[in-house]
Amino acid sequence: MEATAKTTNKQQVTQPKNKGGAPKKRVKRELIIRIRMTATERFYIDSKAKAAGMRSSSWIRAAAKSAKVVPRLTDDERRILWMLAELANNLNQLTKLAHQLGLLTVARDCSKILNEIDITLKRLNNNDRESDNG
């Protein structure tokens, strides 16, 4: 009877044999991106990574996750900038008229154009582009 108990204990204890080595990684990084950089850029990245106590590749991944990139101007934003340039041109023309005709006759038109410029700048500087990033 004792022999049966021993075999039962051996059957319960059976586990996969530990092969040793490093433990399996939770996230397997299998894709590679190669980038070209100058020696100065590489030194800058390496020094930043070293100061953070990280490897360069880990630092680059962390920087890519937290980077804030402002996208190029949209078509609407380009139109707004064009309108702003036109308004500035109109303001210059009114300033020239003010010197020729007198300040009081043109002051009202200048005030109107300055108000339009202010509205256009506020529309251009709104936070829509920041909220598109993430």
Side-chain angles (χ1 to χ4, degrees):
M1 256 177 120
E2 289 182 61
T4 312
K6 287 181 184 178
T7 53
T8 309
N9 285 342
K10 283 185 181 181
Q11 289 173 354
Q12 291 175 352
V13 178
T14 308
Q15 294 178 353
K17 194 169 187 178
N18 187 359
K19 296 181 181 180
K24 295 271 185 181
K25 292 184 178 182
R26 290 184 293 172
V27 177
K28 185 177 179 183
R29 293 189 171 94
E30 53 194 25
L31 301 176
I32 297 171
I33 296 178
R34 290 184 174 202
I35 58 170
R36 294 183 184 271
M37 65 181 75
T38 65
T40 306
E41 291 167 334
R42 177 64 189 255
F43 177 77
Y44 181 74
I45 289 171
D46 288 344
S47 62
K48 288 279 197 172
K50 186 176 180 181
M54 304 169 81
R55 291 183 175 173
S56 297
S57 57
S58 299
W59 186 87
I60 290 171
R61 279 193 296 273
K65 289 178 185 176
S66 64
K68 177 182 175 186
V69 177
V70 178
R72 292 181 178 215
L73 296 177
T74 64
D75 289 338
D76 288 339
E77 292 168 336
R78 277 192 214 100
R79 268 188 244 111
I80 290 171
L81 284 176
W82 184 259
M83 286 173 41
L84 187 61
E86 289 176 345
L87 290 171
N89 187 32
N90 291 343
L91 181 61
N92 286 337
Q93 291 173 0
L94 285 172
T95 303
K96 184 177 178 180
L97 276 176
H99 288 295
Q100 292 172 353
L101 303 176
L103 187 61
L104 294 177
T105 58
V106 184
R108 183 182 31 171
D109 292 336
C110 286
S111 176
K112 181 181 174 186
I113 290 175
L114 285 172
N115 191 28
E116 288 182 40
I117 289 172
D118 188 44
I119 290 169
T120 304
L121 283 174
K122 284 179 183 174
R123 247 194 309 167
L124 182 63
N125 288 325
N126 66 9
N127 292 333
D128 289 346
R129 292 197 310 161
E130 290 180 14
S131 64
D132 289 344
N133 284 336

